[in-house]
Amino acid sequence: MNILVINCGSSSLKFQLIDSENEKWIAKGICERIGIDGSRIVYTPAGGDKEVTESVMVNHTDAIRLVLDALTNEKTGVVKDLSEIGAVGHRIVHGGEKFSKATNIDEEVLKAIEECNDLAPLHNPANLIGIRACKELMPDTPMVAVFDTAFHQTMPEKAYLYGIPYEYYEKYKIRRYGFHGTSHAYVSKRAAEVLGKNYEDLKIIVCHLGNGASVSAVDHGKCVDTSMGLTPLEGLIMGTRSGDIDPAIIEFIAHRENKSIDEIMAVLNKKSGLLGMTKNFSSDFRDLEDAYFKDDKLAISAVEAFAYRVAKYIGAYTAAMNGVDVICFTAGVGENAAFLRSIICNNYLGYLGVEIDEELNSKRGEDIAITTPDSKTIAMVIPTNEELAIARETCALCK
Ligand code: AMP
């Protein structure tokens, strides 16, 4: 069955058509600047050239219409007509406490997703627009919602409750939810598969290090803790997000700089992390890596702080699980920045007996262990594939 995977942001829409039989993508792309001047669709059929077409997209329905036109185009399309698309899998950022697994979308589910809008005001409304646009253009095609938060719903209360008045949890459901769940689930399962071990026998820590970054502890196949919280702002230092800070900093800056809470939240989300720490030099880890090796002082501090924060979370989650068998690195930075993996493992994980094989660590694009055969704890690189994970869940519900 061909599964169309849709990942809808406020002004962009990423898509991938995946053949569930061989799990290969048939076409993929992105619609950018939806509702803004200069909107365009980038479309790549497997084995073909990337096409970039400027096209007016007033809203997400226009964008989906263009995606479906591209997929069925006589020359560069990959399917004859829409009946060849068996189901659509939608990435939904926040499922609150209602969704602990993927689900078929009906009116009740749409309403429940809408009720989570408060928890992810930038993401969930866009996700809903994507679903409604697809339903309008493909009314008879089954649709599935796959939630970023679902994998983390197995966390125990002690991991998800904050040390604040319990009424806030009762009234507003303020608690840790965690994100990147599809990636953490995919990578941890894949690690067990690659090692030829039973998923339910392992204690795994997944470090999803991309522009957004999070760590999770997966104990015997269940997530027991994760570094992002009520929102994706908590935890690691990220491209532009601060990660953990003393909450009193917010009041301090508000008074000193005469800023509103909203303005400070924008700073913490968009102007902090690697970008802010390097005085707006870059949030892109490739730039940071270059500057690090050119002895740029701010780049060195930012990279060291980034690595140190990851190492601290690995330590915390080793304690949470009373041990760890496998540590996985994934996403843009985790998969590519070998020097960062070396810093984390060599500088901080000696107590776990992690011994990196630098030759294996320098490889790219493979699911591999990067530690020596004698290493007491295994470290691995597992390229994440959130689209495939969404396609698998969608297929399982639509068969
Ligand atoms: P993601 O959010 O998973 O797409 O990851 C984006 C991040 O991965 C950006 O900070 C990129 O700079 C980083 N990245 C991508 N390729 C590389 C690379 N070859 N080396 C280091 N970082 C990379």
Side-chain angles (χ1 to χ4, degrees):
M1 188 198 300
N2 293 330
I3 312 276
L4 179 59
V5 176
I6 297 281
N7 182 356
C8 224
S10 54
S11 66
S12 71
L13 184 155
K14 287 191 212 148
F15 63 95
Q16 220 175 85
L17 188 68
I18 294 177
D19 178 347
S20 66
E21 303 295 315
N22 60 19
E23 301 205 321
K24 296 221 158 49
W25 63 271
I26 309 168
K28 64 180 177 181
I30 182 166
C31 298
E32 293 168 321
R33 301 179 63 84
I34 301 168
I36 309 173
D37 279 353
S39 42
R40 59 187 207 153
I41 174 167
V42 182
Y43 168 78
T44 313
D49 293 330
K50 186 197 267 190
E51 287 171 17
V52 182
T53 314
E54 303 260 334
S55 199
V56 178
M57 289 175 232
V58 174
N59 52 34
H60 289 73
T61 310
D62 287 349
I64 299 217
R65 194 173 284 124
L66 283 169
V67 170
L68 300 179
D69 285 351
L71 294 172
T72 52
N73 181 284
E74 262 186 28
K75 279 195 195 131
T76 51
V78 288
V79 290
K80 266 202 235 83
D81 56 56
L82 295 184
S83 68
E84 288 183 29
I85 298 175
V88 184
H90 293 269
R91 177 196 178 208
I92 310 295
V93 166
H94 219 307
E97 287 187 325
K98 290 198 178 80
F99 298 104
S100 55
K101 50 185 182 341
T103 181
N104 282 300
I105 297 173
D106 57 20
E107 278 310 313
E108 211 174 298
V109 167
L110 280 175
K111 205 163 148 254
I113 295 173
E114 204 166 340
E115 280 165 16
C116 300
N117 278 1
D118 269 1
L119 296 170
L122 297 179
H123 295 102
N124 270 33
N127 299 157
L128 280 165
I129 291 170
I131 298 175
R132 294 211 165 95
C134 271
K135 277 171 86 77
E136 191 184 325
L137 298 169
M138 309 165 80
D140 300 322
T141 311
M143 311 258 159
V144 169
V146 182
F147 300 90
D148 257 26
T149 46
F151 181 62
H152 304 303
Q153 277 296 302
T154 48
M155 277 188 290
E157 209 179 48
K158 65 184 175 189
Y160 71 67
L161 282 184
Y162 288 115
I164 58 175
Y166 195 74
E167 296 92 90
Y168 294 136
Y169 171 59
E170 288 178 316
K171 275 202 268 186
Y172 309 119
K173 293 285 170 218
I174 293 180
R175 49 159 283 179
R176 175 180 312 288
Y177 289 97
F179 299 87
H180 295 137
T182 321
S183 175
H184 287 286
Y186 172 86
V187 168
S188 52
K189 279 179 203 150
R190 182 77 190 125
E193 214 173 86
V194 171
L195 294 172
K197 296 193 173 173
N198 194 347
Y199 188 45
E200 278 79 30
D201 289 342
L202 293 171
K203 296 175 181 183
I204 304 175
I205 292 175
V206 179
C207 307
H208 177 110
L209 311 179
N211 193 32
S214 62
V215 185
S216 68
V218 185
D219 194 358
H220 297 87
K222 287 207 166 79
C223 177
V224 292
D225 209 342
T226 190
S227 60
M228 283 179 166
L230 173 74
T231 75
L233 185 56
E234 193 181 349
L236 299 179
I237 292 172
M238 308 178 214
T240 63
R241 293 183 211 138
S242 63
D244 299 336
I245 59 163
D246 177 349
I249 292 172
I250 295 173
E251 186 207 20
F252 195 92
I253 301 175
H255 289 157
R256 295 291 154 113
E257 304 242 328
N258 202 17
K259 280 188 165 32
S260 68
I261 295 275
D262 286 357
E263 284 168 330
I264 297 170
M265 293 318 291
V267 171
L268 295 178
N269 274 299
K270 297 189 180 139
K271 300 223 179 289
S272 299
L274 298 172
L275 180 71
M277 292 180 80
T278 55
K279 290 190 165 172
N280 294 328
F281 166 63
S282 182
S283 62
D284 190 311
F285 213 84
R286 283 165 288 203
D287 299 334
L288 274 272
E289 185 172 346
D290 277 354
Y292 176 91
F293 285 108
K294 286 182 187 144
D295 281 337
D296 180 277
K297 196 171 156 297
L298 287 181
I300 292 172
S301 314
V303 167
E304 283 182 351
F306 183 95
Y308 179 65
R309 182 78 57 91
V310 175
K312 284 211 294 185
Y313 267 99
I314 293 173
Y317 290 168
T318 302
M321 296 192 287
N322 200 5
V324 58
D325 301 305
V326 188
I327 298 164
C328 301
F329 293 95
T330 192
V333 178
E335 289 165 29
N336 293 298
F339 87 106
L340 180 82
R341 295 193 297 263
S342 295
I343 296 175
I344 295 169
C345 295
N346 295 334
N347 293 7
Y348 303 109
L349 305 183
Y351 72 101
L352 292 174
V354 172
E355 269 181 45
I356 293 288
D357 177 327
E358 289 300 344
E359 201 180 316
L360 293 173
N361 188 34
S362 66
K363 295 196 172 179
R364 277 214 177 145
E366 289 177 50
D367 298 316
I368 50 165
I370 54 170
T371 35
T372 64
D374 292 337
S375 182
K376 285 204 191 72
T377 304
I378 301 169
M380 302 182 82
V381 175
I382 305 282
T384 192
N385 193 339
E386 287 168 282
E387 288 78 13
L388 176 57
I390 292 172
R392 280 181 182 164
E393 299 226 36
T394 304
C395 185
L397 282 172
C398 293
K399 263 196 171 147

